[in-house]
């Protein structure tokens, strides 16, 4: 098992941020060194200098010499938000080792553990010496640098697309300039769930599968509201009528259909998910791409999203439109959908508490 000594274990008290991540198979960081190279690639995040190195199936960002655990924790959260912004701009998915908040507590380390490790570099070695604890390559951690901690090598899948690592620095600068509340982002369940779906869309090799996942991300971000009192009054009268008919029905098949209808009517007190998505897009109209903003109503766009998703889910393919082939129809809608989800996630990172569920 390949290991290296990650921190030297000498005073004063200092911490190291160890942030592993992987990109979807649609992306790779161009110029990132192999994990066997000791120097890695230097990146700057504000006043901090980080080392980026490729490692097995992904990458590891390490930032040393942080004076307190809290400062390391805050920096780690902001780096994670920067990675989310980075994936939106580059249209690739990102995965942290531990979802949704990729942090490990320093108390995880166990004193007095012996490991077959070496003083520096990646090697296989049978010589053992006492260390204070270990992490694997893909454990996100705030490491106490004043302790001796070993990093254990783990391998995985291999990404494929080239992205300039400097754009990660740009993503960090963009959130620094906007004073993004990183804590609010990572305590927002709806926003995190939508981000996980967005990343999942880029782990698919089939665009039609990505389309279905991106529509689901819109559903997560939207919020169904109660219908007007007049509509709920109509729904109540229908419920009462179905209930009376069910009481008098003797045929088992008829009773089953009536019970199904009764359950469906229970959802009619709130607006449809399509209407909720339309409200969401209207609310963020200024953040959306031109294809949506220039349209007098977003209802037609959302109807087309759902028409295509329905065809994909129920028929496995997209049919041709009145004036467009099936491919033209699909890709025209896909581009608008993808850009809309990206724009919404960008906007909600900047304003994570607006219309979203916190925990």
């Amino acid at each position: 098992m390949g290991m290296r000594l990650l921190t030297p274990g000498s005073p004063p008290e200092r911490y190291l941020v160890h942030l592993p991540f992987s990109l979807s198979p649609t992306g790779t960081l161009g110029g990132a060194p192999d994990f066997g190279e000791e120097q890695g690639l230097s990146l700057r995040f504000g006043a901090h200098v980080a080392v980026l190195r490729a490692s097995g199936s992904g990458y590891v960002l390490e930032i040393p010499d942080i004076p307190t655990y809290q400062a390391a924790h805050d920096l780690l959260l902001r780096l994670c938000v920067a990675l989310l912004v980075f994936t939106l701009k580059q249209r690739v998915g990102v995965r942290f080792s531990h979802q949704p908040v990729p942090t490990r507590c320093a108390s995880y380390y166990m004193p007095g553990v012996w490991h077959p490790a070496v003083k520096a570099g990646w090697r296989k070695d049978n010589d053992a010496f006492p260390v204070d604890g270990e992490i694997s390559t893909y454990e996100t951690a705030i490491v106490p640098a004043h302790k001796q901690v070993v990093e254990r090598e783990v391998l995985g899948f291999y990404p494929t697309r080239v992205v300039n690592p400097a754009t990660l620095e740009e993503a960090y600068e963009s959130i620094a300039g906007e004073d993004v509340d990183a804590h609010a982002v990572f305590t927002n369940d709806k926003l995190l769930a939508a981000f996980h779906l967005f990343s999942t869309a880029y782990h698919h090799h089939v665009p039609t599968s990505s389309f279905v996942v991106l529509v689901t991300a819109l559903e997560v971000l939207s919020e169904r509201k109660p219908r007007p009192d007049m509509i709920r009054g109509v729904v109540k009268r229908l419920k009462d009528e179905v209930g009376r008919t069910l009481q008098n029905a003797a045929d088992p098949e008829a009773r089953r259909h009536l019970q199904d209808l009764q359950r469906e009517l229970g959802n009619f007190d709130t607006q449809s998910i399509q209407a909720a998505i339309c409200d969401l897009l209207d609310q963020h109209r200024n953040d959306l791409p031109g294809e949506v903003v220039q349209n007098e109503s977003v209802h037609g766009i959302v109807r087309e999203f759902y028409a295509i998703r329905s065809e994909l889910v129920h028929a496995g393919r997209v049919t041709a439109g009145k004036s467009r082939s099936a491919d033209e129809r699909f890709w025209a809608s896909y581009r608008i959908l993808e850009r809309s989800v990206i724009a919404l996630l960008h906007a909600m990172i900047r304003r994570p508490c607006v219309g979203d569920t916190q925990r």
Side-chain angles (χ1 to χ4, degrees):
M1 175 68 70
M3 288 193 176
R4 68 167 182 158
L5 189 64
L6 184 62
T7 51
S10 57
E13 181 176 332
R14 284 293 205 228
Y15 293 87
L16 175 143
V17 168
H18 180 268
L19 174 59
F21 63 94
S22 62
L23 300 182
S24 59
T26 57
T28 187
L29 292 173
D34 182 78
F35 63 75
E37 299 180 21
E38 293 184 9
Q39 296 302 314
L41 181 68
S42 292
L43 296 173
R44 180 172 289 277
F45 302 106
H48 303 281
V49 176
V51 176
L52 171 71
R53 56 188 174 84
S55 185
S57 66
Y59 308 92
V60 177
L61 263 177
E62 290 177 355
I63 303 182
D65 203 32
I66 302 171
T68 66
Y69 179 86
Q70 187 60 49
H73 183 270
D74 293 344
L75 176 61
L76 175 56
L77 284 180
R78 294 190 69 81
L79 283 171
C80 292
V81 174
L83 272 171
L84 299 184
V85 173
F86 167 79
T87 62
L88 292 175
K89 291 184 175 181
Q90 300 302 325
R91 288 178 167 81
V92 295
V94 65
R95 283 184 178 172
F96 300 115
S97 56
H98 295 280
Q99 301 281 20
V101 183
T103 46
R104 292 297 295 265
C105 180
S107 62
Y108 167 76
Y109 305 104
M110 300 168 291
V113 178
W114 287 71
H115 281 288
V118 292
K119 290 286 183 183
W122 288 96
R123 281 173 40 201
K124 296 185 184 301
D125 200 300
N126 293 323
D127 295 332
F129 66 91
V131 296
D132 294 302
E134 77 157 51
I135 62 171
S136 73
T137 306
Y138 292 105
E139 284 184 299
T140 302
I142 296 171
V143 183
H146 48 288
K147 303 285 188 180
Q148 283 196 332
V149 178
V150 167
E151 182 186 24
R152 177 167 40 86
E153 178 183 4
V154 178
L155 301 178
F157 74 83
Y158 301 93
T160 55
R161 180 188 158 203
V162 177
V163 176
N164 187 345
T167 55
L168 183 51
E169 293 174 311
E170 295 170 6
Y172 185 87
E173 290 301 320
S174 72
I175 65 168
E178 295 179 357
D179 195 25
V180 169
D181 187 343
H183 177 76
V185 170
F186 279 95
T187 53
N188 187 311
D189 292 330
K190 287 172 72 70
L191 182 56
L192 288 176
F195 255 111
H196 299 336
L197 287 166
F198 175 82
S199 286
T200 299
Y202 290 95
H203 282 81
H204 287 285
H205 293 285
V206 182
T208 49
S209 298
S210 298
F211 188 97
V212 174
V213 173
L214 288 173
V215 172
T216 307
L218 279 183
E219 291 181 341
V220 170
L221 291 172
S222 64
E223 184 177 352
R224 294 175 65 187
K225 300 173 184 175
R227 294 184 189 272
D229 290 342
M230 181 190 71
I231 302 300
R232 283 188 286 151
V234 173
V235 172
K236 184 179 184 306
R237 289 194 292 273
L238 285 171
K239 288 180 182 177
D240 292 343
E241 179 62 28
V242 171
R244 286 191 294 270
T245 305
L246 180 60
Q247 285 181 343
N248 298 324
D251 180 61
E253 183 71 8
R255 289 184 61 83
R256 183 174 64 82
H257 283 291
L258 286 166
Q259 288 168 345
D260 287 343
L261 179 57
Q262 200 173 42
R263 280 191 292 269
E264 290 176 12
L265 287 172
N267 295 321
F268 283 17
D269 286 333
T270 55
Q271 66 183 160
S272 69
I273 190 64
Q274 289 191 43
I277 290 175
C278 289
D279 286 350
L280 177 70
L281 296 180
D282 273 330
Q283 178 186 352
H284 290 275
R285 182 175 285 271
N286 292 336
D287 301 308
L288 295 174
E291 298 95 321
V292 178
V293 175
Q294 293 169 7
N295 199 314
E296 292 183 3
S297 171
V298 299
H299 290 269
I301 291 174
V302 175
R303 277 198 301 270
E304 181 70 348
F305 290 164
Y306 271 89
I308 290 176
R309 188 177 83 158
S310 180
E311 290 181 9
L312 291 172
V313 171
H314 299 292
R317 62 185 178 87
V318 178
T319 59
K322 291 182 179 179
S323 58
R324 290 185 293 187
S325 68
D327 278 350
E328 290 171 336
R329 181 183 168 217
F330 172 79
W331 284 110
S333 193
Y334 185 97
R335 283 190 290 270
I336 296 173
L337 172 62
E338 180 189 49
R339 293 183 64 193
S340 296
V341 172
I342 289 172
L344 285 170
L345 290 173
H346 264 304
M348 291 181 177
I349 280 180
R350 297 193 298 270
R351 303 183 296 274
C353 296
V354 177
D356 304 316
T357 303
Q358 300 287 312
R359 58 180 164 85

